[in-house]
Amino acid sequence: MPAERAHQLGLVNHLAPPGETLTKAVDVAHRIARNAPLSIAAVKRVVNERTAYGDQDAFRQQDHLVAPVLASHDAQEGAHAFTEKRPPHWEGR
């Protein structure tokens, strides 16, 4: 499948001109790294462990991995930073 079609279908988030793939990938990585470390770790676990479960079990496992993140200090900090229109200060807790 051509990259353009995959992008149209939502299978690919970004397209890069020839020769600029690494630059685009590093840019996306930097944007991801600005997020809360607990959230990033949880998403990585969800993605990596997804294939070990059927659909229903995968959703339950996802809830199990995400629940502590939603109850974390960083989640509160993110909400406060948003309402105060300032960058969050992540502590990883």
Coordinates of all heavy atoms in Angstrom, one line a residue:
M1 N 0.9 -1.2 0.0 CA 0.0 0.0 0.0 C 0.9 1.2 0.0 O 1.8 1.3 0.8 CB -0.9 0.0 1.3 CG -1.7 1.2 1.5 SD -2.7 1.2 3.0 CE -3.7 -0.2 2.8
P2 N 0.6 2.2 -0.9 CA 1.4 3.4 -0.9 C 1.2 4.2 0.4 O 0.2 4.2 1.1 CB 0.8 4.2 -2.1 CG 0.1 3.2 -2.9 CD -0.4 2.1 -1.9
A3 N 2.3 4.9 0.8 CA 2.2 5.7 2.1 C 1.1 6.7 2.1 O 0.5 6.9 3.1 CB 3.6 6.4 2.3
E4 N 0.9 7.3 0.9 CA -0.2 8.3 0.9 C -1.6 7.7 1.2 O -2.4 8.3 1.9 CB -0.2 9.0 -0.5 CG 1.0 9.8 -0.8 CD 2.2 9.0 -1.3 OE1 2.1 7.8 -1.5 OE2 3.2 9.6 -1.4
R5 N -1.8 6.5 0.7 CA -3.1 5.8 1.0 C -3.2 5.4 2.4 O -4.2 5.6 3.1 CB -3.2 4.6 0.1 CG -4.5 3.9 0.3 CD -5.7 4.7 -0.2 NE -7.0 4.0 0.0 CZ -8.1 4.5 0.5 NH1 -8.2 5.8 0.7 NH2 -9.2 3.7 0.7
A6 N -2.1 4.9 3.0 CA -2.0 4.5 4.4 C -2.3 5.8 5.3 O -3.0 5.7 6.3 CB -0.7 3.9 4.8
H7 N -1.8 6.9 4.9 CA -2.1 8.2 5.6 C -3.5 8.6 5.5 O -4.2 9.0 6.5 CB -1.2 9.3 5.0 CG -1.2 10.6 5.8 ND1 -2.0 11.6 5.4 CD2 -0.6 10.9 7.0 CE1 -1.8 12.6 6.3 NE2 -1.0 12.2 7.2
Q8 N -4.1 8.4 4.3 CA -5.5 8.8 4.1 C -6.4 7.9 5.0 O -7.5 8.3 5.5 CB -6.0 8.5 2.7 CG -5.4 9.6 1.7 CD -5.6 9.2 0.3 OE1 -6.0 8.0 -0.1 NE2 -5.4 10.1 -0.6
L9 N -6.0 6.6 5.2 CA -6.8 5.7 6.0 C -6.5 5.8 7.5 O -7.2 5.1 8.3 CB -6.5 4.2 5.5 CG -6.9 3.9 4.1 CD1 -6.4 2.5 3.7 CD2 -8.5 4.0 4.0
G10 N -5.6 6.7 7.9 CA -5.3 6.8 9.3 C -4.3 5.8 9.8 O -4.2 5.7 11.0
L11 N -3.7 5.0 8.9 CA -2.7 4.0 9.4 C -1.4 4.6 9.6 O -0.5 4.0 10.3 CB -2.6 2.9 8.3 CG -4.0 2.2 8.1 CD1 -3.8 1.2 6.9 CD2 -4.5 1.4 9.3
V12 N -1.1 5.8 9.0 CA 0.2 6.5 9.2 C -0.1 7.9 9.6 O -1.0 8.6 9.1 CB 0.9 6.5 7.8 CG1 2.1 7.3 7.8 CG2 1.2 5.1 7.3
N13 N 0.6 8.3 10.7 CA 0.3 9.7 11.2 C 1.0 10.8 10.4 O 0.5 11.9 10.4 CB 0.8 9.7 12.7 CG -0.1 8.9 13.6 OD1 -1.3 8.7 13.3 ND2 0.5 8.3 14.6
H14 N 2.1 10.5 9.9 CA 2.9 11.6 9.3 C 3.5 11.0 8.0 O 3.9 9.9 7.9 CB 4.1 12.1 10.2 CG 3.6 12.5 11.5 ND1 3.0 13.8 11.7 CD2 3.6 11.9 12.7 CE1 2.7 13.9 13.0 NE2 3.0 12.8 13.6
L15 N 3.7 11.9 7.0 CA 4.4 11.6 5.8 C 5.6 12.6 5.7 O 5.5 13.7 6.2 CB 3.5 11.9 4.6 CG 2.3 10.9 4.4 CD1 1.5 11.3 3.2 CD2 2.7 9.5 4.3
A16 N 6.7 12.1 5.2 CA 7.9 12.9 5.1 C 8.4 12.8 3.6 O 8.3 11.8 3.0 CB 9.0 12.4 6.0
P17 N 8.9 13.9 3.1 CA 9.5 13.9 1.8 C 10.7 13.0 1.8 O 11.3 12.7 2.8 CB 9.9 15.4 1.6 CG 9.1 16.2 2.6 CD 8.9 15.3 3.7
P18 N 11.0 12.5 0.6 CA 12.2 11.6 0.5 C 13.4 12.2 1.1 O 13.6 13.4 0.9 CB 12.3 11.4 -1.0 CG 10.9 11.6 -1.6 CD 10.3 12.7 -0.7
G19 N 14.1 11.5 1.9 CA 15.3 12.0 2.5 C 15.1 12.7 3.8 O 16.1 13.1 4.4
E20 N 13.9 12.9 4.2 CA 13.6 13.6 5.4 C 12.9 12.8 6.5 O 12.4 13.3 7.5 CB 12.8 14.9 5.1 CG 13.5 15.9 4.3 CD 12.7 17.2 4.0 OE1 11.9 17.5 4.9 OE2 12.9 17.8 3.0
T21 N 12.9 11.5 6.3 CA 12.2 10.6 7.2 C 12.9 10.6 8.6 O 12.1 10.7 9.6 CB 12.3 9.1 6.7 OG1 11.7 9.1 5.3 CG2 11.5 8.2 7.5
L22 N 14.2 10.6 8.7 CA 14.8 10.6 10.0 C 14.5 11.9 10.7 O 14.2 11.9 11.9 CB 16.3 10.3 9.9 CG 17.1 10.3 11.2 CD1 16.5 9.2 12.1 CD2 18.6 10.1 11.0
T23 N 14.6 13.0 10.0 CA 14.3 14.3 10.6 C 12.9 14.3 11.2 O 12.7 14.8 12.3 CB 14.5 15.4 9.6 OG1 15.9 15.4 9.1 CG2 14.2 16.8 10.2
K24 N 11.9 13.8 10.4 CA 10.6 13.8 10.8 C 10.4 12.9 12.0 O 9.7 13.2 13.0 CB 9.6 13.4 9.7 CG 8.2 13.4 10.1 CD 7.7 14.8 10.3 CE 6.3 14.9 10.6 NZ 5.8 16.3 10.9
A25 N 11.1 11.7 12.0 CA 11.0 10.8 13.1 C 11.5 11.4 14.4 O 11.0 11.2 15.5 CB 11.7 9.5 12.8
V26 N 12.6 12.1 14.3 CA 13.2 12.7 15.5 C 12.3 13.8 16.0 O 12.1 14.0 17.2 CB 14.6 13.3 15.2 CG1 15.2 14.2 16.3 CG2 15.6 12.1 14.9
D27 N 11.7 14.6 15.1 CA 10.7 15.6 15.5 C 9.6 15.0 16.3 O 9.2 15.5 17.3 CB 10.2 16.4 14.3 CG 9.2 17.4 14.6 OD1 9.4 18.2 15.5 OD2 8.1 17.3 14.0
V28 N 9.0 13.9 15.8 CA 7.9 13.2 16.5 C 8.4 12.7 17.8 O 7.7 12.8 18.8 CB 7.3 12.1 15.6 CG1 6.3 11.2 16.3 CG2 6.7 12.7 14.3
A29 N 9.6 12.1 17.9 CA 10.1 11.6 19.1 C 10.2 12.7 20.2 O 9.9 12.5 21.3 CB 11.4 10.9 18.9
H30 N 10.7 13.9 19.7 CA 10.8 15.0 20.7 C 9.5 15.4 21.2 O 9.3 15.8 22.4 CB 11.5 16.2 20.0 CG 13.0 16.0 19.9 ND1 13.8 16.0 21.0 CD2 13.8 15.8 18.8 CE1 15.1 15.9 20.6 NE2 15.1 15.7 19.3
R31 N 8.5 15.4 20.3 CA 7.1 15.8 20.7 C 6.6 14.8 21.7 O 5.9 15.2 22.7 CB 6.2 16.0 19.5 CG 6.6 17.2 18.8 CD 5.6 17.6 17.6 NE 4.4 16.9 17.5 CZ 3.9 16.3 16.4 NH1 4.7 16.3 15.3 NH2 2.7 15.8 16.4
I32 N 6.8 13.5 21.5 CA 6.4 12.5 22.4 C 7.1 12.6 23.8 O 6.4 12.5 24.8 CB 6.6 11.1 21.8 CG1 5.7 10.8 20.6 CG2 6.4 10.0 22.9 CD1 6.0 9.6 19.8
A33 N 8.4 12.9 23.7 CA 9.2 13.0 25.0 C 8.7 14.1 25.9 O 9.0 14.1 27.1 CB 10.6 13.1 24.6
R34 N 8.0 15.1 25.3 CA 7.6 16.2 26.2 C 6.4 15.8 27.0 O 6.0 16.6 27.9 CB 7.2 17.4 25.3 CG 8.4 18.2 24.7 CD 8.0 19.5 24.1 NE 7.0 19.4 23.0 CZ 7.4 19.5 21.7 NH1 8.6 19.6 21.4 NH2 6.5 19.4 20.8
N35 N 5.8 14.7 26.8 CA 4.7 14.2 27.6 C 5.1 13.6 28.9 O 6.3 13.3 29.1 CB 3.9 13.2 26.7 CG 3.1 13.9 25.6 OD1 2.2 14.6 25.8 ND2 3.7 13.7 24.4
A36 N 4.2 13.3 29.8 CA 4.5 12.8 31.1 C 5.1 11.4 30.9 O 4.6 10.5 30.2 CB 3.2 12.6 31.9
P37 N 6.2 11.2 31.7 CA 6.9 9.9 31.6 C 6.1 8.7 31.9 O 6.2 7.6 31.3 CB 8.1 10.0 32.6 CG 8.2 11.5 32.8 CD 6.9 12.1 32.5
L38 N 5.2 8.8 32.9 CA 4.3 7.7 33.3 C 3.4 7.4 32.1 O 3.1 6.2 31.9 CB 3.5 8.0 34.5 CG 4.3 8.2 35.8 CD1 3.4 8.6 37.0 CD2 5.0 6.9 36.2
S39 N 2.9 8.3 31.4 CA 2.0 8.1 30.3 C 2.7 7.4 29.2 O 2.2 6.5 28.6 CB 1.4 9.4 29.8 OG 0.6 10.0 30.8
I40 N 3.9 7.9 28.9 CA 4.7 7.3 27.8 C 5.0 5.8 28.1 O 4.8 5.0 27.2 CB 6.0 8.1 27.6 CG1 5.7 9.5 27.1 CG2 6.9 7.4 26.6 CD1 6.9 10.4 27.1
A41 N 5.4 5.6 29.3 CA 5.7 4.2 29.7 C 4.4 3.3 29.6 O 4.5 2.2 29.1 CB 6.3 4.1 31.1
A42 N 3.3 3.8 30.0 CA 2.1 3.0 30.0 C 1.7 2.7 28.5 O 1.3 1.6 28.2 CB 0.9 3.8 30.7
V43 N 1.8 3.7 27.7 CA 1.4 3.5 26.3 C 2.4 2.5 25.6 O 1.9 1.6 24.9 CB 1.4 4.9 25.5 CG1 1.4 4.6 24.0 CG2 0.3 5.8 26.0
K44 N 3.6 2.6 25.9 CA 4.6 1.6 25.4 C 4.2 0.2 25.8 O 4.3 -0.7 25.1 CB 6.0 2.0 25.8 CG 6.6 3.2 25.1 CD 7.9 3.6 25.6 CE 9.0 2.6 25.4 NZ 10.3 3.1 25.8
R45 N 3.8 0.0 27.1 CA 3.4 -1.3 27.6 C 2.2 -1.8 26.9 O 2.1 -2.9 26.5 CB 3.2 -1.2 29.1 CG 4.6 -1.3 29.9 CD 4.4 -1.6 31.3 NE 3.9 -2.9 31.5 CZ 3.4 -3.4 32.7 NH1 3.4 -2.6 33.7 NH2 2.9 -4.6 32.8
V46 N 1.2 -0.9 26.8 CA 0.0 -1.3 26.1 C 0.3 -1.8 24.7 O -0.2 -2.8 24.2 CB -1.0 -0.1 26.1 CG1 -2.2 -0.3 25.1 CG2 -1.6 0.2 27.5
V47 N 1.1 -1.0 23.9 CA 1.4 -1.4 22.6 C 2.2 -2.7 22.5 O 1.9 -3.6 21.8 CB 2.2 -0.3 21.9 CG1 2.7 -0.7 20.5 CG2 1.3 1.0 21.7
N48 N 3.2 -2.8 23.4 CA 4.0 -4.0 23.4 C 3.3 -5.3 23.8 O 3.6 -6.4 23.4 CB 5.3 -3.8 24.2 CG 6.2 -2.8 23.6 OD1 6.3 -2.7 22.3 ND2 7.0 -2.1 24.4
E49 N 2.4 -5.1 24.8 CA 1.7 -6.3 25.3 C 0.4 -6.6 24.6 O -0.2 -7.6 24.9 CB 1.4 -6.1 26.8 CG 2.7 -6.0 27.6 CD 2.5 -5.7 29.1 OE1 1.4 -5.8 29.6 OE2 3.5 -5.3 29.8
R50 N -0.1 -5.8 23.7 CA -1.4 -5.9 23.1 C -1.5 -7.3 22.4 O -2.6 -7.9 22.5 CB -1.6 -4.8 22.0 CG -2.7 -5.0 21.1 CD -4.0 -5.1 21.8 NE -5.1 -5.3 20.9 CZ -5.7 -6.5 20.6 NH1 -5.2 -7.6 21.2 NH2 -6.7 -6.6 19.8
T51 N -0.5 -7.8 21.7 CA -0.6 -9.0 21.0 C -0.7 -10.2 21.8 O -1.1 -11.3 21.4 CB 0.6 -9.2 20.0 OG1 1.8 -9.1 20.7 CG2 0.6 -8.0 19.0
A52 N -0.5 -10.1 23.1 CA -0.5 -11.2 24.0 C -2.0 -11.5 24.5 O -2.2 -12.6 25.1 CB 0.4 -11.0 25.3
Y53 N -2.9 -10.7 24.1 CA -4.3 -10.8 24.6 C -5.3 -10.8 23.5 O -5.0 -10.1 22.5 CB -4.6 -9.7 25.6 CG -3.7 -9.6 26.8 CD1 -2.6 -8.7 26.8 CD2 -3.9 -10.4 27.9 CE1 -1.8 -8.6 27.9 CE2 -3.0 -10.4 29.0 CZ -2.0 -9.5 29.0 OH -1.1 -9.4 30.0
G54 N -6.4 -11.4 23.7 CA -7.6 -11.2 22.8 C -8.1 -9.8 23.0 O -7.7 -9.1 24.0
D55 N -9.1 -9.4 22.2 CA -9.6 -8.1 22.3 C -10.2 -7.7 23.7 O -9.8 -6.6 24.2 CB -10.7 -7.9 21.2 CG -10.2 -7.8 19.8 OD1 -9.0 -7.6 19.7 OD2 -11.0 -7.9 18.9
Q56 N -11.0 -8.5 24.2 CA -11.6 -8.1 25.5 C -10.6 -8.1 26.6 O -10.5 -7.2 27.4 CB -12.7 -9.1 25.9 CG -13.9 -9.0 25.0 CD -14.6 -7.6 25.0 OE1 -14.6 -7.0 26.1 NE2 -15.0 -7.2 23.9
D57 N -9.7 -9.1 26.6 CA -8.6 -9.1 27.6 C -7.6 -7.9 27.4 O -7.1 -7.4 28.4 CB -7.8 -10.4 27.6 CG -8.7 -11.6 28.1 OD1 -9.6 -11.3 28.9 OD2 -8.4 -12.7 27.7
A58 N -7.4 -7.6 26.2 CA -6.5 -6.4 25.9 C -7.0 -5.2 26.5 O -6.3 -4.4 27.1 CB -6.3 -6.3 24.4
F59 N -8.4 -4.9 26.4 CA -9.0 -3.7 26.9 C -8.9 -3.7 28.5 O -8.6 -2.7 29.1 CB -10.4 -3.5 26.5 CG -10.5 -3.0 25.1 CD1 -11.0 -3.8 24.1 CD2 -10.1 -1.7 24.8 CE1 -11.1 -3.3 22.8 CE2 -10.2 -1.2 23.5 CZ -10.7 -2.0 22.5
R60 N -9.1 -4.9 29.1 CA -9.0 -5.0 30.5 C -7.6 -4.7 31.0 O -7.3 -4.0 31.9 CB -9.5 -6.3 31.0 CG -11.0 -6.4 31.1 CD -11.4 -7.7 31.9 NE -11.3 -8.9 31.1 CZ -12.2 -9.3 30.2 NH1 -13.3 -8.6 30.0 NH2 -12.0 -10.4 29.5
Q61 N -6.6 -5.3 30.3 CA -5.2 -5.1 30.6 C -4.8 -3.6 30.4 O -4.1 -3.1 31.2 CB -4.3 -6.0 29.7 CG -2.8 -5.9 30.0 CD -2.5 -6.4 31.4 OE1 -3.3 -6.9 32.2 NE2 -1.2 -6.1 31.8
Q62 N -5.3 -3.0 29.3 CA -5.0 -1.6 29.1 C -5.6 -0.8 30.3 O -4.9 0.1 30.7 CB -5.7 -1.2 27.8 CG -5.6 0.3 27.5 CD -6.2 0.6 26.2 OE1 -6.0 0.0 25.2 NE2 -7.1 1.7 26.2
D63 N -6.8 -1.1 30.7 CA -7.3 -0.3 31.9 C -6.4 -0.5 33.1 O -6.2 0.4 33.8 CB -8.7 -0.8 32.2 CG -9.7 -0.4 31.1 OD1 -9.4 0.5 30.3 OD2 -10.8 -1.0 31.1
H64 N -5.9 -1.7 33.3 CA -5.1 -2.0 34.4 C -3.8 -1.2 34.4 O -3.3 -0.7 35.4 CB -4.8 -3.5 34.5 CG -3.7 -3.9 35.4 ND1 -3.9 -3.9 36.8 CD2 -2.4 -4.3 35.3 CE1 -2.8 -4.3 37.4 NE2 -1.9 -4.5 36.5
L65 N -3.2 -1.0 33.2 CA -2.0 -0.3 33.0 C -2.2 1.2 33.1 O -1.3 1.9 33.5 CB -1.3 -0.6 31.6 CG -0.9 -2.1 31.5 CD1 -0.4 -2.3 30.0 CD2 0.3 -2.4 32.4
V66 N -3.3 1.7 32.6 CA -3.5 3.1 32.6 C -4.1 3.7 33.9 O -3.8 4.9 34.2 CB -4.5 3.5 31.4 CG1 -4.9 4.9 31.4 CG2 -3.8 3.1 30.1
A67 N -4.8 2.9 34.6 CA -5.4 3.4 35.9 C -4.5 4.1 36.8 O -4.8 5.2 37.3 CB -6.2 2.3 36.6
P68 N -3.3 3.5 37.1 CA -2.4 4.3 38.0 C -1.9 5.6 37.4 O -1.6 6.5 38.2 CB -1.2 3.3 38.1 CG -1.7 2.0 37.7 CD -2.8 2.2 36.7
V69 N -1.8 5.7 36.1 CA -1.3 6.9 35.5 C -2.4 8.0 35.7 O -2.1 9.1 36.0 CB -1.1 6.7 34.0 CG1 -0.7 8.0 33.3 CG2 0.0 5.7 33.8
L70 N -3.7 7.6 35.5 CA -4.7 8.6 35.7 C -4.8 9.1 37.2 O -5.3 10.2 37.4 CB -6.1 8.0 35.3 CG -6.1 7.6 33.8 CD1 -7.5 6.9 33.5 CD2 -6.0 8.9 32.9
A71 N -4.4 8.3 38.1 CA -4.5 8.6 39.5 C -3.2 9.3 40.0 O -3.0 9.6 41.2 CB -4.8 7.4 40.3
S72 N -2.2 9.5 39.1 CA -0.9 10.0 39.5 C -0.8 11.5 39.8 O -1.7 12.2 39.4 CB 0.1 9.6 38.4 OG -0.1 10.4 37.3
H73 N 0.2 11.8 40.5 CA 0.5 13.3 40.7 C 0.7 14.0 39.3 O 0.3 15.1 39.1 CB 1.8 13.4 41.5 CG 2.2 14.8 41.8 ND1 3.0 15.5 40.8 CD2 2.0 15.6 42.8 CE1 3.2 16.7 41.3 NE2 2.6 16.8 42.5
D74 N 1.4 13.3 38.4 CA 1.6 13.9 37.1 C 0.3 14.2 36.4 O 0.2 15.2 35.6 CB 2.5 13.0 36.2 CG 4.0 13.2 36.5 OD1 4.3 14.0 37.3 OD2 4.8 12.5 35.8
A75 N -0.7 13.3 36.5 CA -2.0 13.6 35.9 C -2.7 14.9 36.5 O -3.2 15.7 35.7 CB -3.0 12.4 36.1
Q76 N -2.5 15.0 37.8 CA -3.0 16.3 38.4 C -2.3 17.5 37.9 O -2.8 18.5 37.6 CB -2.9 16.1 39.9 CG -3.9 15.1 40.5 CD -3.6 14.9 42.0 OE1 -3.1 15.8 42.7 NE2 -4.1 13.8 42.5
E77 N -0.9 17.3 37.8 CA -0.1 18.4 37.3 C -0.5 18.8 35.9 O -0.5 20.0 35.6 CB 1.4 18.0 37.4 CG 2.3 18.9 36.7 CD 2.4 20.4 37.1 OE1 1.8 20.7 38.2 OE2 2.9 21.2 36.3
G78 N -0.7 17.8 35.1 CA -1.1 18.1 33.7 C -2.4 18.9 33.6 O -2.5 19.8 32.9
A79 N -3.4 18.5 34.4 CA -4.6 19.2 34.5 C -4.4 20.7 35.0 O -5.0 21.6 34.4 CB -5.7 18.5 35.3
H80 N -3.7 20.8 36.0 CA -3.4 22.1 36.6 C -2.7 23.0 35.6 O -3.0 24.2 35.4 CB -2.6 22.1 37.9 CG -3.4 21.5 39.0 ND1 -4.5 22.1 39.5 CD2 -3.2 20.4 39.8 CE1 -5.0 21.4 40.5 NE2 -4.2 20.4 40.7
A81 N -1.6 22.4 34.9 CA -0.9 23.2 34.0 C -1.8 23.6 32.8 O -1.6 24.8 32.3 CB 0.3 22.3 33.5
F82 N -2.7 22.8 32.4 CA -3.6 23.1 31.3 C -4.5 24.3 31.7 O -4.6 25.2 30.9 CB -4.4 21.9 30.9 CG -5.4 22.2 29.8 CD1 -5.0 22.2 28.5 CD2 -6.7 22.4 30.1 CE1 -5.9 22.5 27.5 CE2 -7.6 22.7 29.1 CZ -7.2 22.7 27.8
T83 N -5.1 24.2 32.8 CA -6.0 25.3 33.3 C -5.2 26.6 33.5 O -5.8 27.6 33.3 CB -6.8 24.9 34.5 OG1 -6.0 24.6 35.6 CG2 -7.7 23.7 34.2
E84 N -4.0 26.4 33.9 CA -3.2 27.6 34.2 C -2.4 28.1 33.0 O -1.6 29.1 33.1 CB -2.2 27.4 35.4 CG -2.9 27.1 36.7 CD -2.0 26.5 37.8 OE1 -0.8 26.4 37.5 OE2 -2.5 26.1 38.8
K85 N -2.6 27.4 31.9 CA -2.0 27.8 30.6 C -0.5 27.9 30.7 O 0.2 28.9 30.3 CB -2.6 29.1 30.0 CG -4.1 29.0 29.7 CD -4.6 30.2 29.1 CE -6.1 30.2 28.9 NZ -6.8 29.1 28.7
R86 N 0.1 26.9 31.3 CA 1.6 26.8 31.5 C 2.1 25.4 31.1 O 1.3 24.5 31.2 CB 2.0 27.2 32.9 CG 1.4 26.2 33.9 CD 2.0 26.4 35.3 NE 1.4 25.6 36.3 CZ 1.7 24.3 36.5 NH1 2.6 23.7 35.8 NH2 1.0 23.7 37.5
P87 N 3.4 25.3 30.8 CA 3.9 24.0 30.6 C 3.9 23.2 31.9 O 4.1 23.7 33.0 CB 5.4 24.2 30.1 CG 5.4 25.7 29.9 CD 4.3 26.4 30.6
P88 N 3.6 21.9 31.8 CA 3.6 21.0 33.0 C 5.0 20.7 33.4 O 6.0 20.7 32.6 CB 2.9 19.7 32.5 CG 3.1 19.7 31.0 CD 3.2 21.1 30.6
H89 N 5.2 20.4 34.7 CA 6.4 20.0 35.3 C 6.3 18.6 35.7 O 5.7 18.3 36.8 CB 6.8 20.9 36.5 CG 8.1 20.4 37.1 ND1 9.3 20.5 36.6 CD2 8.2 19.9 38.3 CE1 10.2 20.0 37.4 NE2 9.6 19.6 38.5
W90 N 6.7 17.6 34.9 CA 6.5 16.2 35.2 C 7.5 15.7 36.2 O 8.7 16.1 36.2 CB 6.7 15.4 33.9 CG 5.8 15.8 32.8 CD1 6.3 16.1 31.5 CD2 4.4 15.9 32.7 NE1 5.2 16.5 30.7 CE2 4.1 16.4 31.4 CE3 3.4 15.7 33.7 CZ2 2.7 16.6 31.0 CZ3 2.1 16.0 33.3 CH2 1.8 16.4 32.0
E91 N 7.0 14.9 37.2 CA 7.9 14.4 38.2 C 8.0 12.8 38.1 O 8.7 12.2 38.9 CB 7.4 14.8 39.6 CG 7.5 16.3 39.8 CD 7.1 16.7 41.2 OE1 7.0 15.9 42.1 OE2 6.8 17.9 41.3
G92 N 7.2 12.2 37.3 CA 7.2 10.8 37.2 C 6.6 10.1 38.4 O 7.0 9.0 38.7
R93 N 5.7 10.7 39.0 CA 5.0 10.1 40.1 C 3.5 10.5 40.1 O 3.1 11.4 39.5 CB 5.6 10.5 41.5 CG 5.6 12.0 41.8 CD 6.3 12.3 43.1 NE 6.1 13.7 43.4 CZ 5.2 14.2 44.2 NH1 4.3 13.4 44.8 NH2 5.1 15.5 44.4

